[in-house]
Amino acid sequence: MKILYISQYFYPEVGATTNRALANARYLASKGHDITVLTEMPNHPKGVIFDGYRGKLFVKEEFENFKINRVWIYTNQKKNFITRILFYMSFSILATVSSLFNWKKYDIVYVTSPPLFVGIIGINLKFFFPSSRFIFEVRDLWPDAAIEMGELKNKAFRKFSYKLENSLYTKADHIVAVTNRFKSKIIEKGFNENKISVIRNGSDLSFQNKKINPDLQSKHKLQNKFVVIYAGILGIAQNLTTVLRAAQQITDPDIVILLVGAGPEEAKLKKIANEQKIRNVIFTGEISKKHVSDYLSLADCGLIPLKNISVFERTIPSKLFDYMSADLPILLGVKGEAKEILAQSEAGICFKPDDITDLVEKITYMKNNRDELQKMRGKGRKFVEENFDREKLAAKLDDVFTELLDDE
């Protein structure tokens, strides 16, 4: 079948979205499907278009065994309401134009969100090419999440966003949600459960437990340290200021927190660390995907914090599975479905989201209970191999496509 896979974020950008999209595209192409990925000029997370792509309106690439069509987008390192809207809408407009001029009678138009506005492309293509099947993937409940995090305050735009959300759920031939609780919430909004499939996030199992890189360990002076690692986007959702405040209260000189990655909150976090003279937190800056495993090998446990808001109780952070794949015990600050999965795996413990005191206590507990940590190692990887192998999840997506076309 011919599939147009639309994701605003894609390789060589780093992050959970790009990892999932790349794994899906690779698998579908390996099964003989004609795959075209429609995405932006790479710029995430810093908002600076990568070398080799600047000044270009459209770029076509051959990547492995599928194609990539890239379009120009408005980028700005300053993140506010106006710059975000221009960022999202520029992609929706240019991607629609690119699709219309490069249409190949696609059987499936698969659109993954957020941002919610990427769904506009799917609506437009469904209008022009009604015989194609439009599938909308929901990786986050937007605009609910944006409102709860305080990112979407404009009342008129909230109203517009909810209308767009409803239109997307209505016009999509099928919906793919990444958690069971997302599915339940969409059903609460009035949509038939038979229209919704759940395909969770997972890991491509490339984050294997590796021997410690002594040069990297020496570079960051981590010898004989208990290393707590956070590897991911330094964004608003994670509320990493809680992690900095916890680091301030940790008195054990052998505990170090390693923040691996970049993002919109990076400058703010570094400023807090400098002003408050927080010396037990290390910022690595942006790291390519192929080097993440090297940093994970330095750690004793993996940290997953999220803001203490109700919408995240329906979220399953993808780094949960990446840490498990790396045989890394997990310290999870998320309620709901993610907490349930961690309990099933027995690969870590939880702390109360946004609770500085509890985070300090749990980090100290893990450091002082090495035997328990050792028992957690290995359980996570086995759990992922059995339940959250990204290739097996991509196979489920292939089944959804096939069933949808067979129902015509």
Side-chain angles (χ1 to χ4, degrees):
M1 67 184 79
K2 291 183 178 180
I3 302 169
L4 180 62
Y5 196 117
I6 305 174
S7 175
Q8 180 153 357
Y9 309 108
F10 197 71
Y11 181 87
E13 296 173 325
V14 295
T17 304
T18 62
N19 293 341
R20 179 180 173 95
L22 180 58
N24 285 342
R26 278 174 167 161
Y27 178 86
L28 293 168
S30 75
K31 295 303 176 182
H33 300 306
D34 184 349
I35 307 295
T36 300
V37 174
L38 178 60
T39 188
E40 66 185 15
M41 299 296 178
N43 70 92
H44 186 70
K46 292 187 176 181
V48 177
I49 293 178
F50 291 10
D51 291 342
Y53 294 95
R54 293 172 191 162
K56 297 179 180 180
L57 193 60
F58 301 106
V59 171
K60 291 185 178 182
E61 298 174 335
E62 295 284 339
F63 182 82
E64 297 181 350
N65 52 353
F66 59 90
K67 303 174 185 66
I68 303 176
N69 290 345
R70 299 186 186 274
V71 302
W72 176 88
I73 35 82
Y74 172 85
T75 61
N76 196 310
Q77 290 182 278
K78 293 182 179 179
K79 306 298 182 183
N80 55 44
F81 178 78
I82 299 298
T83 60
R84 288 180 188 275
I85 294 303
L86 291 173
F87 175 62
Y88 298 147
M89 294 307 297
S90 62
F91 178 68
S92 295
I93 294 169
L94 269 293
T96 297
V97 171
S98 175
S99 299
L100 293 175
F101 279 98
N102 294 283
W103 188 254
K104 296 196 310 184
K105 295 184 178 179
Y106 294 104
D107 301 297
I108 299 288
V109 174
Y110 191 76
V111 181
T112 180
S113 74
L116 188 68
F117 305 100
V118 73
I120 294 172
I121 309 164
I123 291 176
N124 290 338
L125 295 181
K126 186 65 179 176
F127 174 79
F128 286 106
F129 309 105
S131 62
S132 294
R133 314 300 278 176
F134 167 35
I135 303 178
F136 187 59
E137 180 181 72
V138 181
R139 291 179 292 99
D140 205 350
L141 287 175
W142 215 94
D144 292 1
I147 291 171
E148 285 200 49
M149 287 192 295
E151 288 186 292
L152 188 56
K153 299 177 181 179
N154 185 287
K155 291 184 179 179
F157 212 78
R158 284 186 184 185
K159 186 176 181 180
F160 168 78
S161 297
Y162 276 118
K163 284 186 176 181
L164 176 58
E165 179 195 37
N166 184 75
S167 179
L168 287 166
Y169 293 160
T170 300
K171 294 181 183 298
D173 295 295
H174 199 75
I175 299 167
V176 171
V178 300
T179 75
N180 290 317
R181 296 193 182 199
F182 281 6
K183 178 177 179 177
S184 297
K185 188 65 176 180
I186 295 169
I187 292 171
E188 286 179 20
K189 291 174 182 281
F191 295 91
N192 192 317
E193 65 177 324
N194 295 325
K195 188 180 184 178
I196 310 165
S197 298
V198 175
I199 302 177
R200 285 165 155 175
N201 282 319
S203 177
D204 57 13
L205 300 179
S206 64
F207 294 106
Q208 297 186 24
N209 187 19
K210 301 172 69 174
K211 291 183 179 179
I212 291 176
N213 183 324
D215 294 333
L216 199 59
Q217 186 181 54
S218 178
K219 174 185 176 181
H220 295 293
K221 300 178 181 178
L222 298 176
Q223 299 94 330
N224 302 314
K225 298 292 185 181
F226 183 83
V227 181
V228 180
I229 192 170
Y230 168 84
I233 300 296
L234 307 187
I236 297 171
Q238 291 73 29
N239 196 20
L240 291 167
T241 53
T242 296
V243 177
L244 294 186
R245 301 304 182 198
Q248 272 186 305
Q249 295 187 18
I250 292 174
T251 57
D252 189 329
D254 292 332
I255 296 176
V256 175
I257 297 176
L258 189 61
L259 300 182
V260 179
E265 294 287 283
E266 183 179 7
K268 171 188 169 184
L269 294 169
K270 285 182 175 179
K271 183 179 179 182
I272 292 172
N274 287 331
E275 290 178 349
Q276 300 297 320
K277 295 181 172 57
I278 303 173
R279 305 304 184 201
N280 55 349
V281 175
I282 298 171
F283 294 86
T284 69
E286 188 173 352
I287 300 297
S288 66
K289 181 184 176 183
K290 66 181 180 180
H291 290 131
V292 172
S293 289
D294 291 323
Y295 278 89
L296 293 180
S297 72
L298 303 175
D300 294 283
C301 70
L303 177 63
I304 306 176
L306 280 178
K307 274 190 171 185
N308 188 22
I309 55 178
S310 62
V311 72
F312 287 146
E313 294 181 21
R314 297 184 284 269
T315 297
I316 307 173
S318 61
K319 62 176 62 64
L320 176 66
F321 308 116
D322 291 338
Y323 290 167
M324 287 183 182
S325 296
D327 284 333
L328 200 58
I330 294 165
L331 187 51
L332 177 71
V334 186
K335 297 178 182 178
E337 202 163 335
K339 184 176 181 179
E340 293 166 4
I341 289 172
L342 184 62
Q344 292 169 18
S345 71
E346 299 181 341
I349 61 174
C350 296
F351 69 94
K352 299 173 184 176
D354 285 349
D355 189 318
I356 296 169
T357 301
D358 194 41
L359 177 55
V360 172
E361 290 177 357
K362 294 299 168 55
I363 290 174
T364 304
Y365 174 85
M366 294 188 92
K367 193 252 182 181
N368 294 331
N369 290 270
R370 302 297 185 101
D371 290 343
E372 189 169 341
L373 255 64
Q374 193 59 38
K375 291 178 183 178
M376 294 174 187
R377 291 186 182 276
K379 289 186 177 181
R381 184 168 179 85
K382 183 180 179 183
F383 186 76
V384 169
E385 288 173 348
E386 294 175 351
N387 302 283
F388 294 99
D389 181 346
R390 196 168 270 147
E391 185 169 309
K392 294 178 182 178
L393 296 171
K396 288 185 179 181
L397 183 61
D398 193 6
D399 291 341
V400 169
F401 293 170
T402 301
E403 291 172 11
L404 194 60
L405 293 177
D406 287 345
D407 288 341
E408 289 183 344

